[in-house]
Amino acid sequence: MITVKNLYKNFGENDQIKVLKNVSEHISKGEKVVIIGPSGSGKSTFLRCLNRLEEPSSGEIYFENQLITSPKSDINKLRMKMGMVFQHFNLFPHLSIMENITLGPIKLLKMSKADAEKRATDLLKRVGLPDKANAYPAQLSGGQKQRIAIARSLAMNPDVMLFDEPTSALDPEMVGEVLDLMKELASDGMTMVVVTHEMGFAREVATRILFMDEGNILEQGTPDEFFSNPKNPRLKEFLAKVL
Amino acid sequence: MKKKSTRLLLVAGILFLAVAVFVASVVTIQKINGTVSRKITLEEAQQIVTESFSALPGTVATGAKYIVENTLITVNDINYGNQKDIILDCDYTTLDVKNTVTDNIEKYILSAYNFNMENEAAGKKTNATKVKQLVSDEMVRDLSESERISGTTSLYIYEIEENAFKLFLSDETINTVFGGLLDAKNIINNTLTVNVDGTEISIANKNTLRTGIKDCVSLNNYNNRKPDTNIGIIKAWNSFKYDFHRNFIVNNQWKYLANGLLTTLKITALAVLIGIAIGFIVAVIRCTNQKTGKLSFLSSVCRLYLSIMRGTPIMVQLLIIYFVILLPIGVEKFPAAVICFGLNSGAYVSEIVRGGIMSIDAGQTEAGRSLGFTYMQTMWYIIIPQAFKAVLPSLANEFITLLKESSVAFYIGVADLTLGGLKIRSITYSNYMPLLAVAIIYLILVLGLSKCVSILERRLRKGDNR
């Protein structure tokens, strides 16, 4: 579904800061890929390159067999198929919850308002917040906001969901409700790429775990072999600290 | 909220009165009241009256001089008031001016008209003094044959300074003791056409002729306002009332201010709308350029526009936009002012809006783009509504600033509030009343609008926490 070939990403003047150094990866349909790694390892940048929120410096990314790194590709069309959930939720504060969820479907998918609201109502039920349709983001807790953000992405009916540290900005007691929703989403067969520090979630949900450090994928595998038998010394060190 | 704005108006009103009364009391400082410092004799009173009357027609021989010379005033009795006033009971005998002029006005007009025709035929210009001399001669002949009328009246003398007495002459008194002189003047003023053998002769457009005839019965300035002998504060109040009346009430002169205010508000409102439109367009272009590097040509144009508009005085901009650019292509003053202030305000609004757009969290753009919105759609649906809300108070303040700045519009002759004040000033030669009124109207507007802005700000803050 997503194929990344020789991806480089540099920042700063004269590209001095090299964040991604020759990353290649393939993610198949239905996979739940969890990316872990220390801060500054490039995992968020890698995720954000997948829908070109960060412009890759070089390399190729294919999504559903289309080269999305080419300037000719219509990135906006492709992004509709790739939902993204952010660490800081990024709900639109001037719109009600209902409007937050229906804005994309109405304006981009050209759905009628009634259809979009019907879909939104279903999604609100699914994320467990059916009574919040007319509330505004400022009235919600962090966990509720993130669930709405997930519903907003799902409203576009994406083929893949990208999660960028979705629980990092939450109070500990609210992490559970978001992770539960993500687990539910995973069991429904959604293709997911998740950057997170939640090792429990990785162990339970991931079909594959990638460990990134200093702009490279150092090791990957199923949760079992990844946690029980890590090979890379850097990964061993990392797991020793976080587990 | 209604209660508050009423209170604001009340405060402004009291402020207005206080300042005006203060200024008025400074303007006319005079001694405090009481009775006169000494009593005067009948001879003295008679002398004051005679001298005052003989000064009325001036030195040049006219009909008026003849009338005054043939009017006899005799002081019979003296009474004293307690406001430094002396009341004289007088007898008068005078000429029947009103009826004489009424009977002969057509003749005067005709001879003035013929005089003018002769001059025109000879290629000479007719001046008012010549007309006055001609008509005065005729009038004096008619008056000498007129009946004499007599009666009694009261004249007032005031002690305006210690041991300085002055005769007070109102229009009414003048009209009475001179046999209807002012009525005669009105008749001259209102008679515009004469019927001669079935043809109508009109001097409606010949001001020289009418002025000439009118001058025959014109007197020098006499004080038609009672000397003010009250105590300071009452005197100031009287003076204020009098000035207020003659600046705003007479001939409905307040309408200059009302219409000017309306024009000022119209200019400001339209200019702010243009400013907001331009401001948002410029801000979006510059932000787009800043974030994506696109639209660099348009962005340079915008920067040029900004530096010109913010780097030159608005007065100069107004003069150039009207006289250099718009007047030659036939644009009126009002739209020119609106365009100029709109362009000027656009420059400031764009910086406000740019700040607003920049203040919106980058995550908002990312969320919009990740859903599949284009950059412009993200701007339109997500960033601009939030930025607009964020800068609304600043925009309202810009409106207030513009309201004040629009006062330079009078420079190209737009009849705004400031010009309304200047117009009244040029009619009454009174400085403080019209200018103070203009200032206070601006002040009330600005205070009221500022209040609205702070209410708006509070509402918006509440909205964020709902």
Side-chain angles (χ1 to χ4, degrees):
Chain A
M1 176 171 259
I2 301 176
T3 307
V4 179
K5 283 181 185 164
N6 309 103
L7 181 64
Y8 287 84
K9 175 66 187 176
N10 309 319
F11 282 110
E13 280 175 53
N14 307 323
D15 297 339
Q16 284 153 338
I17 307 157
K18 300 186 187 337
V19 178
L20 294 179
K21 302 164 189 167
N22 196 8
V23 177
S24 296
E25 187 53 59
H26 177 78
I27 296 162
S28 312
K29 192 167 168 51
E31 267 195 301
K32 290 100 182 73
V33 177
V34 172
I35 306 172
I36 61 172
S39 295
S41 59
K43 53 190 191 308
S44 275
T45 306
F46 173 69
L47 189 77
R48 289 158 61 85
C49 279
L50 295 185
N51 68 353
R52 272 180 59 193
L53 275 188
E54 295 293 352
E55 212 54 60
S57 299
S58 69
E60 292 172 345
I61 301 171
Y62 294 86
F63 173 63
E64 294 177 339
N65 300 323
Q66 290 182 61
L67 180 62
I68 67 171
T69 40
S70 114
K72 278 181 227 155
S73 70
D74 185 351
I75 187 63
N76 296 315
K77 274 258 150 46
L78 293 164
R79 277 180 186 148
M80 293 181 206
K81 297 269 121 203
M82 308 170 95
M84 185 156 195
V85 175
F86 299 88
Q87 181 179 356
H88 295 288
F89 335 124
N90 296 347
L91 292 181
F92 307 133
H94 63 300
L95 300 178
S96 71
I97 298 307
M98 180 56 83
E99 289 163 335
N100 260 279
I101 299 176
T102 55
L103 183 67
I106 292 175
K107 301 294 180 195
L108 296 172
L109 304 181
K110 308 293 177 200
M111 284 173 76
S112 73
K113 192 160 183 266
D115 288 351
E117 288 189 349
K118 190 171 169 298
R119 181 187 280 191
T121 311
D122 291 344
L123 282 166
L124 283 173
K125 263 184 218 146
R126 191 169 162 192
V127 302
L129 296 167
D131 54 337
K132 295 292 185 192
N134 296 316
Y136 280 80
Q139 295 166 310
L140 303 184
S141 73
Q144 290 172 331
K145 280 185 200 167
Q146 195 60 295
R147 280 145 72 193
I148 297 298
I150 292 170
R152 180 176 70 182
S153 293
L154 289 175
M156 298 296 289
N157 204 9
D159 294 341
V160 58
M161 288 282 283
L162 311 176
F163 291 86
D164 188 3
E165 303 197 24
T167 57
S168 298
L170 294 178
D171 288 344
E173 56 179 327
M174 291 172 183
V175 171
E177 58 187 82
V178 174
L179 290 183
D180 286 346
L181 175 60
M182 289 168 66
K183 282 173 201 163
E184 211 183 298
L185 205 56
S187 64
D188 288 350
M190 174 63 75
T191 311
M192 292 163 71
V193 185
V194 185
V195 172
T196 187
H197 295 294
E198 296 293 332
M199 296 303 151
F201 175 82
R203 199 196 291 267
E204 194 180 331
V205 177
T207 53
R208 193 150 58 95
I209 302 181
L210 310 181
F211 174 69
M212 286 188 75
D213 192 25
E214 298 192 340
N216 283 307
I217 298 174
L218 296 185
E219 186 165 345
Q220 55 170 293
T222 59
D224 278 350
E225 56 182 284
F226 194 86
F227 286 110
S228 53
N229 190 18
K231 296 177 191 76
N232 188 294
R234 186 73 189 81
L235 174 58
K236 282 180 191 165
E237 192 188 326
F238 178 74
L239 287 177
K241 276 183 198 157
V242 297
L243 286 180
Chain B
M1 196 178 124
K2 197 182 168 192
K3 218 172 167 187
K4 269 183 189 163
S5 61
T6 329
R7 201 160 59 204
L8 192 77
L9 264 173
L10 200 69
V11 169
I14 291 169
L15 201 73
F16 178 44
L17 286 182
V19 174
V21 165
F22 174 75
V23 175
S25 61
V26 170
V27 169
T28 54
I29 287 178
Q30 284 181 9
K31 294 258 171 71
I32 309 177
N33 73 335
T35 49
V36 286
S37 60
R38 68 174 175 87
K39 302 211 164 182
I40 56 172
T41 60
L42 263 180
E43 287 74 30
E44 256 185 298
Q46 184 69 54
Q47 196 190 349
I48 292 170
V49 170
T50 311
E51 276 174 10
S52 302
F53 272 72
S54 64
L56 280 172
T59 50
V60 186
T62 61
K65 196 174 172 72
Y66 184 80
I67 295 163
V68 173
E69 281 167 356
N70 285 279
T71 299
L72 192 68
I73 309 268
T74 324
V75 181
N76 293 325
D77 195 12
I78 300 179
N79 297 301
Y80 295 93
N82 55 9
Q83 292 192 321
K84 298 207 179 249
D85 51 341
I86 304 167
I87 306 130
L88 309 176
D89 292 339
C90 306
D91 288 338
Y92 67 88
T93 51
T94 187
L95 303 166
D96 190 358
V97 179
K98 184 184 172 187
N99 284 330
T100 309
V101 170
T102 312
D103 293 345
N104 297 297
I105 177 68
E106 300 201 343
K107 190 176 80 186
Y108 303 151
I109 290 176
L110 198 62
S111 63
Y113 181 81
N114 288 335
F115 177 61
N116 183 45
M117 295 299 275
E118 279 168 33
N119 278 344
E120 271 180 15
K124 283 193 289 188
K125 275 210 159 180
T126 311
N127 69 41
T129 316
K130 288 270 168 59
V131 174
K132 182 177 79 176
Q133 283 164 354
L134 178 81
V135 176
S136 280
D137 289 348
E138 290 181 19
M139 197 182 283
V140 167
R141 265 197 306 279
D142 296 332
L143 283 170
S144 65
E145 289 162 13
S146 80
E147 278 184 42
R148 294 185 74 83
I149 50 178
S150 56
T152 58
T153 186
S154 293
L155 296 179
Y156 291 83
I157 289 178
Y158 285 87
E159 186 181 30
I160 48 168
E161 276 172 50
E162 183 139 340
N163 210 9
F165 298 91
K166 194 173 176 196
L167 183 66
F168 160 66
L169 288 170
S170 67
D171 284 347
E172 208 183 334
T173 315
I174 292 279
N175 204 34
T176 310
V177 298
F178 293 128
L181 182 84
L182 297 183
D183 296 338
K185 201 167 174 179
N186 279 336
I187 289 163
I188 296 169
N189 237 351
N190 296 329
T191 311
L192 302 176
T193 55
V194 180
N195 220 328
V196 182
D197 305 334
T199 48
E200 201 164 74
I201 290 171
S202 170
I203 57 164
N205 297 323
K206 299 208 158 51
N207 273 334
T208 323
L209 302 186
R210 275 169 61 207
T211 310
I213 301 171
K214 207 162 62 181
D215 281 353
C216 296
V217 291
S218 286
L219 298 176
N220 279 353
N221 284 340
Y222 49 90
N223 48 329
N224 61 355
R225 183 179 157 218
K226 242 178 165 173
D228 218 328
T229 50
N230 283 311
I231 52 169
I233 186 74
I234 298 174
K235 196 156 55 187
W237 171 241
N238 286 341
S239 170
F240 170 79
K241 273 197 299 191
Y242 173 74
D243 275 344
F244 189 89
H245 185 270
R246 113 188 140 93
N247 276 294
F248 304 128
I249 310 297
V250 170
N251 293 330
N252 281 338
Q253 270 156 203
W254 59 271
K255 282 188 177 166
Y256 287 116
L257 292 182
N259 294 335
L261 175 62
L262 208 64
T263 308
T264 290
L265 289 176
K266 270 193 226 158
I267 289 180
T268 313
L270 291 172
V272 162
L273 288 183
I274 294 177
I276 288 177
I278 293 177
F280 269 91
I281 292 169
V282 170
V284 167
I285 289 173
R286 293 199 65 202
C287 285
T288 306
N289 178 255
Q290 220 162 337
K291 281 183 187 162
T292 65
K294 289 176 193 163
L295 304 176
S296 60
F297 174 72
L298 277 178
S299 178
S300 322
V301 173
C302 288
R303 267 206 305 280
L304 182 70
Y305 159 74
L306 287 184
S307 29
I308 291 175
M309 282 298 162
R310 300 201 299 166
T312 53
I314 189 162
M315 169 95 93
V316 177
Q317 290 167 17
L318 182 69
L319 294 177
I320 290 179
I321 286 179
Y322 180 58
F323 288 114
V324 181
I325 301 170
L326 294 180
L327 185 61
I329 59 170
V331 177
E332 295 283 322
K333 293 166 191 166
F334 179 80
V338 168
I339 289 168
C340 172
F341 292 125
L343 283 173
N344 183 277
S345 132
Y348 292 93
V349 169
S350 82
E351 288 301 272
I352 295 171
V353 174
R354 197 163 69 98
I357 291 177
M358 289 304 191
S359 76
I360 304 299
D361 181 31
Q364 292 292 315
T365 314
E366 287 182 355
R369 298 303 309 270
S370 79
L371 284 172
F373 285 105
T374 64
Y375 180 82
M376 276 303 163
Q377 284 173 323
T378 309
M379 270 285 171
W380 185 248
Y381 293 122
I382 295 159
I383 306 299
I384 286 183
Q386 294 183 52
F388 185 73
K389 199 172 145 188
V391 301
L392 205 53
S394 308
L395 288 182
N397 280 325
E398 172 61 21
F399 179 85
I400 293 174
T401 309
L402 199 61
L403 183 80
K404 286 181 284 174
E405 280 186 349
S406 73
S407 69
V408 300
F410 85 87
Y411 240 79
I412 60 168
V414 176
D416 73 337
L417 179 56
T418 309
L419 191 65
L422 295 181
K423 180 86 188 167
I424 295 176
R425 186 169 162 255
S426 74
I427 294 171
T428 62
Y429 298 108
S430 169
N431 280 322
Y432 84 92
M433 187 62 79
L435 294 180
L436 213 64
V438 167
I440 280 169
I441 292 173
Y442 277 117
L443 186 67
I444 292 174
L445 279 177
V446 169
L447 287 181
L449 286 170
S450 304
K451 191 79 200 164
C452 294
V453 172
S454 63
I455 291 170
L456 183 74
E457 269 178 326
R458 225 176 306 141
R459 285 266 169 89
L460 287 179
R461 260 207 308 277
K462 221 184 273 171
D464 283 342
N465 301 328
R466 67 191 154 185

